[in-house]
Amino acid sequence: MLIDKRFATGGLLAVEVTFLAIVMELLLHSEAAEGFGRLFNIFGLPSNESIITRRAALTVIDVYLATLISGLDLKKANASEVERVHGDIEHVFPVWKDLQTFNHDTVSPQWQASLRGKKVALLEVLRQFEQLHHALGPWQNRMCSKLKTELLSIEDQGRGYVSLSAFYKASLNGTYQFGENVAYLRQLGALDESSPGNPRVIIPNWINGPSNCLGTFPSHDACCISECEPLLQRVEKQIAAPVASPSRIAEVVAAFVNPPSTSVSGLGELSPLLLQRLHAIAAVNDGMVPIYGRLFAQWMHIAFPRECPYPHLAGTTRPVNIYRFAHGTPEAYFAETSEMEEYAARRPRRDAPVRSVPWVNQEELLVRPNFDSHPVLGLTVIHFSVALVALFIMIIGLTRTLLRA
């Protein structure tokens, strides 16, 4: 709530971003310490004694990862439930072997070598998990890239979209990830239903959706890295303002010759439709294009349909991960075989025209661009002081938590 208010009144200062990063790092450490502490307690292991062998330490990290992926609440779990989750994880998460290999390869070989014939305590196991945790994001993103490649191989005539028929057909043929039911895809905002009877999966909305996030970390999600963000960053860097004229936007975007994704090439000269849309955005925004508005995000989706997600109107979607869908029953998000077979049996017309990307000419802005507000020195000092006190209190609290663990 506090951060939301700061964004609505001018955003965060650099020093506040720094303190926020420090607090997040401490929070992640605290969560992992609590999780491993509970795991040790469940199996009756003392947390302050060096009783874990090298092989057992890797197994403990594997078990903890399995509980995160499955959504098991360690506050309520017992030993038999943890063992069951670990035993079934390969069926729930088919790329488990890849993640397990990555885990064992990432944990420092020097550390493993130093443990031959020795044993360690909880604190050392926690330290090695944190090393793995920092590397999970890039590993997850490689998995995301593979998923996108598979989607592009069954892409519809219109770039950035896959017919639900092809999506489910791939699932029935063994691509386990392509199995969310229509209700969940709709709630994610990954389903284009602008053409009745022929729904399509929106590739960037699905890739970046919470169904592809790894695990159930209490404070954050490990999700696919957006390929649209680098494109938006180029726009921000070149324009250096919250708004710009349509001609300036066109000049900047047309110069993208090295996009971050292998699935798109530089636009070069913008199409008449893209130029027309830019002027339409400016027409409802006093002649300028707000680069943080919904309409510009929609324009970026048309320009880069494989990278930039389609921005639905506020309130029409509610993306949640599979553990928060349908009252916390993970299995509820997956389509029944009969539902997939019904859609997979549909045959698109060979002579059907290429469907255009839906366009909803409705602007949404978090805040109106304001060129008159500048950070005041006195307020900067106050923000710095408050952030420092908050950080100090957080460190004391986390220290007490770790000592109790």
Side-chain angles (χ1 to χ4, degrees), residues 164-165 167-169 171-172 178-182 334-346:
L164 190 60
S165 172
F167 186 78
Y168 282 154
K169 191 178 298 182
S171 180
L172 292 170
F178 301 164
E180 296 93 334
N181 60 36
V182 169
F334 207 81
E336 298 287 344
T337 301
S338 57
E339 179 184 9
M340 290 193 283
E341 288 176 341
E342 177 188 347
Y343 280 98
R346 298 181 182 180

Side-chain angles (χ1 to χ4, degrees), residues 2 37 52 71 78 85-86 97 108 116 173-174 178 205 217 224-225 241 250 258 269 290 362 391:
L2 178 61
I52 301 294
N78 55 40
V85 163
H86 185 228
K97 286 294 184 184
S108 171
R116 288 197 176 94
N173 289 335
F178 301 164
N205 291 55
F217 298 95
C224 300
I225 297 174
N258 294 307
E269 186 177 353
Q362 184 171 331
L391 178 62

Side-chain angles (χ1 to χ4, degrees), residues 365-388:
L365 297 169
L366 182 62
V367 290
R368 280 281 170 187
N370 185 357
F371 298 99
D372 299 326
S373 61
H374 300 279
V376 181
L377 180 60
L379 289 177
T380 302
V381 173
I382 292 173
H383 294 154
F384 181 88
S385 302
V386 171
L388 186 61

Side-chain angles (χ1 to χ4, degrees), residues 1-12 16 366-367 383:
M1 183 66 71
L2 178 61
I3 294 176
D4 290 340
K5 290 181 179 178
R6 291 291 294 121
F7 274 125
T9 56
L12 297 177
E16 292 172 322
L366 182 62
V367 290
H383 294 154

Side-chain angles (χ1 to χ4, degrees), residues 234-295:
R234 292 188 185 193
V235 173
E236 289 176 320
K237 183 177 180 181
Q238 293 295 319
I239 292 175
V243 298
S245 66
S247 59
R248 178 59 179 150
I249 294 280
E251 178 187 0
V252 169
V253 176
F256 288 178
V257 293
N258 294 307
S261 169
T262 57
S263 65
V264 70
S265 58
L267 287 179
E269 186 177 353
L270 299 188
S271 69
L273 176 61
L274 286 173
L275 293 173
Q276 178 187 338
R277 296 299 191 197
L278 276 180
H279 286 283
I281 297 172
V284 297
N285 286 287
D286 301 322
M288 303 292 278
V289 177
I291 65 173
Y292 301 113
R294 181 194 165 273
L295 286 178

